[in-house]
Amino acid sequence: MYKSKITYLLFTLTLVIILSWSSISKLPDVLTCQQSNVFRATGERYYTHPQKVVVEPWRGEHHVYAIFMIPGGHLNDKLYTVTIEGVGTFCGELAFAGTTVAYGVSAKPGHYLMKALFKTRAAVWLIAQGKGDELKQPRHWRVGYAKIAE
């Protein structure tokens, strides 16, 4: 009787691991974005990298984000991109509009801040792939903006 319980437990554990791995291995296809999906402001394009990047997915949802500083009089793309070499490009929406102080970052005069929320499950997947350090580097995060037409 003891052997059958161990066998049942090992079978169940193996099944859970296989199903979890097959789900996680499909994540990049779901989470990556195509450049054609990124809304673009019209006019001459400028790009900026974040002032601050926080990668703490173990704290739960909304703890993987970046704070971007955009010059006033410019319209941002509404979407940001994160490009990790060997994995692909991830995109997401920018949150809150036009604040001047957020999460310890103060906007320079004539600028405003935008928060880019990165999906927690994608961050965990990247960390599991050994790409956590790349995710923390501001040079991999980018948002575009253009001058507001007058």
Side-chain angles (χ1 to χ4, degrees):
M1 179 127 150
Y2 183 70
K3 283 186 176 184
S4 65
K5 286 184 178 182
I6 290 176
T7 304
Y8 178 73
L9 179 66
L10 288 174
F11 174 76
T12 304
L13 185 62
T14 303
L15 184 62
V16 168
I17 290 171
I18 290 171
L19 292 175
S20 297
W21 180 254
S22 66
S23 297
I24 290 172
S25 66
K26 294 178 185 177
L27 283 178
D29 297 334
V30 174
L31 299 173
T32 57
C33 65
Q34 304 299 322
Q35 291 295 0
S36 61
N37 292 344
V38 177
F39 169 78
R40 297 197 183 276
T42 58
E44 188 177 351
R45 312 280 317 132
Y46 305 98
Y47 294 93
T48 188
H49 299 285
Q51 301 298 308
K52 179 179 183 177
V53 176
V54 174
V55 179
E56 298 174 345
W58 55 88
R59 293 185 58 206
E61 191 175 26
H62 305 308
H63 284 92
V64 181
Y65 61 88
I67 304 294
F68 288 93
M69 189 178 312
I70 311 290
H74 290 77
L75 180 65
N76 63 66
D77 283 342
K78 308 288 189 233
L79 292 177
Y80 69 90
T81 58
V82 178
T83 304
I84 305 294
E85 190 173 325
V87 178
T89 301
F90 299 82
C91 62
E93 293 183 24
L94 293 171
F96 63 77
T99 188
T100 57
V101 178
Y103 303 96
V105 178
S106 296
K108 296 177 189 174
H111 289 70
Y112 64 95
L113 301 176
M114 297 295 291
K115 181 179 180 182
L117 294 171
F118 194 77
K119 293 188 181 294
T120 303
R121 66 176 180 246
V124 170
W125 183 83
L126 287 170
I127 291 168
Q129 296 293 316
K131 304 288 186 177
D133 288 337
E134 291 180 49
L135 184 61
K136 292 177 186 176
Q137 296 175 7
R139 65 185 171 97
H140 293 289
W141 296 67
R142 182 171 101 151
V143 69
Y145 61 93
K147 188 155 186 70
I148 296 173
E150 296 179 18

